[in-house]
Amino acid sequence: MAITVATVATTPFEGQKPGTSGLRKKVKVFTQKNYTENFVQCILDANGSALAGSTLVVGGDGRCFCREACELIVRMCAANGVAKVLAGQNGILSTPAVSSLIRRHKALGGIVMTASHNPGGPDNDFGIKFNCENGGPAPDQFTNKIYALSGEIKEYKIAEGLEIDVSKIGVNSYDLGGKSFVVEVIDSVADYVCLMKEIFDFDKLKDFVGGKSRDGQPLKMRIDSMNGVTGSYVNEIFVNCLGASKDGVVHTTPLPDFGGLHPDPNLTYAKDLVEAVRNGDYDIGAAFDGDGDRNMIIGRNAFFVTPSDSLAVIAHYLECIPYFKKNGVTGLARSMPTASAVDLVAKALNKELFEVPTGWKYFGNLMDAGRLCLCGEESFGTGSDHIREKDGIWAVLAWFSVMEHTGKSVEEICVEHWKRYGRNYFTRYDYEECDLAPCNEMMATLEKTITDPSFVGKDFSSEGKTYKVKLGDNFSYNDPIDKSVSTKQGLRIVFTDGSRVVMRLSGTGSSGATVRLYIDSYEKDNVLGQAAVMLKPLIDIALEISKLPSFTGRNAPTVIT
């Protein structure tokens, strides 16, 4: 059958506005006639003249509609002048792997099919985002352009008669009116594994995992891929390369509905992992989200490492990783809601510290300018400048490196860190799928309260503890590289002892509003307390100031992290 380029008439859909990591909606929304086609066409059009003759990477987390969307995107790329597409086998690539491929092949960018940590299946979520030529999520200027185009779109282009089977690895060449179009279906894992071997000392880690550097005692690990995209990566890296027991890796088959699991690596949704590690049979446990960019670390007896502490610990020991020993350590960064534990490490190391809005794209400019090498978000994301995305497997290999270097357990490493720097007790309360209107009213009322000049200096007391307000604002970020300004990034109350309360509405859900309340309570000396007990006074104060229960009608959060 001859391949022809068809131009199909269409009309705009409301609400195709990318959030912090692309557009996320229910599968049934994306599978409406022309819905996915419209959004993909807008992504392609937003690239302008750079699209012609370009290379794009396409892959996703394997959730429901992933493979079908991959083949659709390939046909649209062909029709719109793209010269080559690198597609993951079966449409599968982890988000970190997409970033790596973009950078290694100097591609124009990548179209990533993922809703990250959101649940999968025909009745749940799907998502599409664009990563630009540095491998990171598209900046605001680009996503705003996509949204503007989505409101004006009248037609899309697609190559009819182009048959592609993304289950088969190989190079496929096509002729479109005298122009060559190539689709290379690649092994989803190989490139990423090569990158990890360039960063970490696999020989040393293999000895550590096998017990040669542990008095003959193999490292007992429980690694849970939660039926997301990381399964193949975990099997290759931890089992085949490092020699871990196959019994220590679970849920490694990517499934369209994640096998009914909610692929969000936290204490609530990764409860199977927590229970397995609680009995003391494992030295370390780790879980990943659907697309492989988030991670959770727990130690023996289910000792929980907050993402904020994980970032700070890795920062302290960065030079035990060959990549950083070779390239040096530059700046450190965190998202604004993330507890400020890494700030103390940056100060001790005399390194620049950046506080940015939520969304990995804000780290990219700093990395490209050579001013940032390690960063993290409290939402279980940690990564470095080896790519421009957070990277779950990288974070676990970093922890293996720290454990090998120190000869200490996960808990011993954290306790030693707290005794050196003090401890940021931290929690996040998520109130999911709330009614949007009262949430917007709550945020407006709270902003008015905390930005009133009289708010500074006020005392708030609970459980015998008193906190004095140092400042209250709606966080703004001035990018030191491109001078762009991002406003209204979250309401922030900072107290004189360094403790903080942050509240924001999330842009990563597919319906309703998710209210996120962050509590960061710093203690210089009392570092071994129970987190729930230590945090309660500031939680009570935050609920009092925000009047959250009254506005949302919720007496308890959906998820506590």
Side-chain angles (χ1 to χ4, degrees):
M1 181 178 178
I3 300 173
T4 58
V5 174
T7 300
V8 182
T10 189
T11 55
F13 289 87
E14 289 187 10
Q16 288 194 330
K17 182 175 178 60
T20 53
S21 285
L23 181 68
R24 296 180 188 173
K25 302 287 184 182
K26 298 297 184 185
V27 169
K28 291 176 181 178
V29 174
F30 271 99
T31 53
Q32 294 177 88
K33 183 180 179 181
N34 293 352
Y35 190 91
T36 297
E37 290 89 338
N38 275 24
F39 189 66
V40 172
Q41 187 66 55
C42 293
I43 289 175
L44 297 173
D45 287 346
N47 281 285
S49 60
L51 191 69
S54 66
T55 296
L56 289 179
V57 178
V58 179
D61 59 19
R63 67 178 58 233
C64 183
F65 191 53
C66 182
R67 178 170 168 172
E68 297 89 338
C70 180
E71 294 179 353
L72 170 66
I73 291 166
V74 168
R75 292 196 292 272
M76 292 188 67
C77 285
N80 281 275
V82 175
K84 183 176 183 178
V85 169
L86 292 168
Q89 186 179 21
N90 294 313
I92 289 178
L93 284 170
S94 74
T95 294
V98 170
S99 184
S100 174
L101 285 162
I102 292 169
R103 295 172 64 79
R104 193 177 293 269
H105 291 271
K106 296 181 170 53
L108 177 64
I111 298 177
V112 194
M113 301 162 292
T114 177
S116 187
H117 56 294
N118 292 10
D123 296 320
N124 286 309
D125 298 343
F126 187 74
I128 297 177
K129 71 171 182 172
F130 184 75
N131 280 27
C132 52
E133 61 187 352
N134 76 344
D140 290 341
Q141 303 96 302
F142 192 94
T143 55
N144 289 340
K145 191 173 183 180
I146 292 172
Y147 182 50
L149 289 167
S150 76
E152 304 169 354
I153 188 169
K154 295 179 180 177
E155 61 187 31
Y156 66 84
K157 296 178 181 178
I158 190 164
E160 294 185 340
L162 191 156
E163 299 294 333
I164 179 67
D165 181 356
V166 294
S167 70
K168 297 177 180 178
I169 292 175
V171 178
N172 305 272
S173 299
Y174 306 88
D175 182 276
L176 274 77
K179 290 185 178 180
S180 172
F181 176 65
V182 176
V183 181
E184 184 175 354
V185 180
I186 61 172
D187 183 305
S188 303
V189 174
D191 177 88
Y192 179 82
V193 174
C194 288
L195 178 62
M196 292 301 103
K197 288 181 176 179
E198 293 168 6
I199 295 170
F200 299 98
D201 187 335
F202 268 46
D203 290 335
K204 186 178 285 187
L205 293 182
K206 186 174 183 178
D207 286 346
F208 175 66
V209 170
K212 286 185 179 179
S213 57
R214 286 170 48 87
D215 297 324
Q217 296 296 315
L219 182 74
K220 295 180 179 179
M221 67 181 78
R222 178 85 170 186
I223 309 294
D224 193 338
S225 290
M226 302 185 79
N227 295 322
V229 77
T230 60
S232 299
Y233 300 83
V234 164
N235 281 323
E236 180 60 27
I237 290 173
F238 294 100
V239 178
N240 296 341
C241 293
L242 300 183
S245 168
K246 288 185 179 180
D247 295 338
V249 298
V250 297
H251 299 131
T252 57
T253 300
L255 298 173
D257 62 352
F258 304 119
L261 299 178
H262 188 148
D264 194 352
N266 59 43
L267 294 172
T268 298
Y269 294 126
K271 59 182 181 298
D272 288 351
L273 172 70
V274 175
E275 290 306 312
V277 178
R278 193 183 301 281
N279 63 12
D281 289 342
Y282 297 98
D283 300 306
I284 185 170
F288 309 107
D289 68 339
D291 68 329
D293 58 359
R294 299 175 189 235
N295 75 95
M296 179 176 72
I297 302 292
I298 55 178
R300 185 176 288 276
N301 301 315
F303 175 86
F304 175 58
V305 183
T306 70
S308 306
D309 281 338
S310 182
L311 173 64
V313 166
I314 294 171
H316 179 79
Y317 287 108
L318 264 186
E319 290 190 352
C320 79
I321 298 171
Y323 176 88
F324 298 102
K325 192 169 185 179
K326 175 184 176 182
N327 297 316
V329 176
T330 54
L332 308 174
R334 61 172 173 82
S335 65
M336 183 273 287
T338 302
S340 52
V342 74
D343 302 35
L344 303 171
V345 180
K347 183 177 181 180
L349 298 179
N350 195 28
K351 303 296 181 183
E352 278 192 293
L353 186 284
F354 300 95
E355 182 181 25
V356 308
T358 295
W360 210 258
K361 56 193 172 186
Y362 295 103
F363 296 123
N365 277 355
L366 298 165
M367 289 180 173
D368 291 343
R371 291 176 66 178
L372 175 62
C373 71
L374 178 74
C375 53
E377 294 182 334
E378 53 70 39
S379 52
F380 295 87
T382 318
S384 86
D385 60 352
H386 67 289
I387 55 172
R388 297 297 182 266
E389 285 278 7
K390 47 188 175 279
D391 190 344
I393 288 176
W394 176 94
V396 176
L397 290 171
W399 265 94
F400 279 18
S401 300
V402 173
M403 293 172 73
E404 189 278 333
H405 176 75
T406 61
K408 298 180 184 297
S409 70
V410 171
E411 182 173 359
E412 288 169 340
I413 290 166
C414 287
V415 170
E416 183 179 276
H417 187 90
W418 296 334
K419 289 181 177 177
R420 179 184 288 116
Y421 291 105
R423 182 177 179 183
N424 289 79
Y425 291 92
F426 182 81
T427 191
R428 186 181 90 188
Y429 279 20
D430 289 359
Y431 299 80
E432 297 175 341
E433 297 188 348
C434 297
D435 291 338
L436 184 58
C439 288
N440 284 332
E441 183 183 357
M442 174 182 67
M443 296 296 285
T445 303
L446 180 58
E447 181 173 3
K448 185 177 180 181
T449 297
I450 68 175
T451 57
D452 189 297
S454 65
F455 189 68
V456 173
K458 280 191 173 182
D459 290 332
F460 292 90
S461 298
S462 178
E463 306 275 331
K465 278 208 75 162
T466 298
Y467 298 84
K468 183 181 288 291
V469 175
K470 180 180 179 181
L471 69 87
D473 65 4
N474 196 331
F475 180 68
S476 295
Y477 176 64
N478 297 289
D479 192 303
I481 309 304
D482 65 14
K483 310 305 178 186
S484 62
V485 179
S486 301
T487 60
K488 297 187 178 299
Q489 295 297 313
L491 303 181
R492 180 176 63 161
I493 304 170
V494 181
F495 300 95
T496 54
D497 68 346
S499 298
R500 304 181 312 147
V501 170
V502 174
M503 184 178 286
R504 52 187 293 273
L505 296 184
S506 173
T508 59
S510 62
S511 61
T514 296
V515 181
R516 302 202 196 281
L517 174 64
Y518 311 82
I519 307 295
D520 176 7
S521 182
Y522 178 72
E523 293 284 344
K524 179 67 179 77
D525 300 309
N526 189 1
V527 299
L528 300 179
Q530 269 193 307
V533 174
M534 301 299 294
L535 286 162
K536 189 175 186 304
L538 199 50
I539 291 169
D540 290 344
I541 288 168
L543 295 175
E544 173 194 340
I545 295 173
S546 66
K547 298 181 174 58
L548 186 149
S550 176
F551 278 105
T552 65
R554 303 287 184 88
N555 292 320
T558 313
V559 178
I560 298 176
T561 303

